[in-house]
Amino acid sequence: MAVEPEVFDELRRLRTRVPHLTGSLAASVDGLVLAQDTGGVEPEGLAALTAAALGVALRVTDATGRGAFRELVVRGEHGYVATYAAGPTAVLTVLAEPRANVGRLHLEARRAGVRIAELAEGRAAARQSGGGDRSRSADPVRPRSSESGRSGVLPSRRPGTG
C-alpha cells in the first residue's frame, strides 16, 4: 500500500486551508520523510531535526508529568515551526509566516495529523500482515498504551523503558 501520494495530498490540502503556510512535512518518529512540501527547506534535514526535537519534547512532557506529546511550536523572527503528533508512528511539521493565524494553524494541522495518522497506521498494518492491502474494516494497529491509541498522540516514554 503506497501511502506517500495520499499523505502528500493531505499536505497539499493543508496548505490550501491555512493562509501563510509556507511548507509542511510528514515524517516517521525516527526521522524518515513520508511526504514533503517544504519549499526551499531541505526535507531530510528537517525530518532529522524534527525527530531530535521530538525526542526532547517527549522527555520534557514526561519529566513534567504533562502526558503524551501532542505538539511543539517554535516561534522565530521569521515565522513558526510547529510539530504535531500524527498517531504513534508519525509527526507533521509545518512552517508558517509570522503573520499566520496560529489558532487556524493549530486547528487545521491537528486535523491533518489525524488523517496522516490513519494513513501511516494503515501502512504499518499492511507491513505487519505481509505487505498486502487491508480494507478499512480490518483491525487497526494497536498502540502500546491506551493513551497513545488516540490519533494525534504519541506514546509516552518512561525513563529506562527506551
Side-chain angles (χ1 to χ4, degrees):
M1 179 165 124
V3 299
E4 288 82 1
E6 294 172 10
V7 174
F8 179 75
D9 288 344
E10 186 61 37
L11 297 180
R12 201 175 64 233
R13 285 190 297 271
L14 177 62
R15 189 178 266 213
T16 63
R17 292 189 312 259
V18 180
H20 312 296
L21 188 71
T22 60
S24 58
L25 168 100
S28 66
V29 294
D30 55 356
L32 300 175
V33 175
L34 300 176
Q36 59 90 16
D37 179 20
T38 56
V41 177
E42 197 269 315
E44 287 79 15
L46 180 58
L49 288 169
T50 295
L54 177 62
V56 171
L58 288 169
R59 287 180 181 223
V60 169
T61 56
D62 280 347
T64 59
R66 299 299 179 233
F69 171 82
R70 297 263 177 120
E71 58 202 36
L72 171 68
V73 179
V74 177
R75 181 177 174 218
E77 182 179 348
H78 300 293
Y80 296 91
V81 179
T83 298
Y84 301 86
T89 61
V91 292
L92 167 65
T93 295
V94 296
L95 310 172
E97 296 175 359
R99 61 187 176 162
N101 178 326
V102 178
R104 177 77 182 265
L105 178 71
H106 285 323
L107 176 71
E108 296 297 345
R110 289 171 185 155
R111 288 178 178 167
V114 169
R115 177 69 179 133
I116 291 166
E118 292 170 355
L119 294 168
E121 289 171 9
R123 181 172 80 167
R127 259 195 245 133
Q128 285 183 350
S129 70
D133 250 345
R134 289 174 52 129
S135 70
R136 283 237 181 242
S137 63
D139 288 337
V141 174
R142 298 288 177 223
R144 289 178 280 176
S145 72
S146 61
E147 184 170 2
S148 65
R150 296 188 312 265
S151 290
V153 178
L154 287 171
S156 295
R157 292 185 192 158
R158 298 286 173 236
T161 62

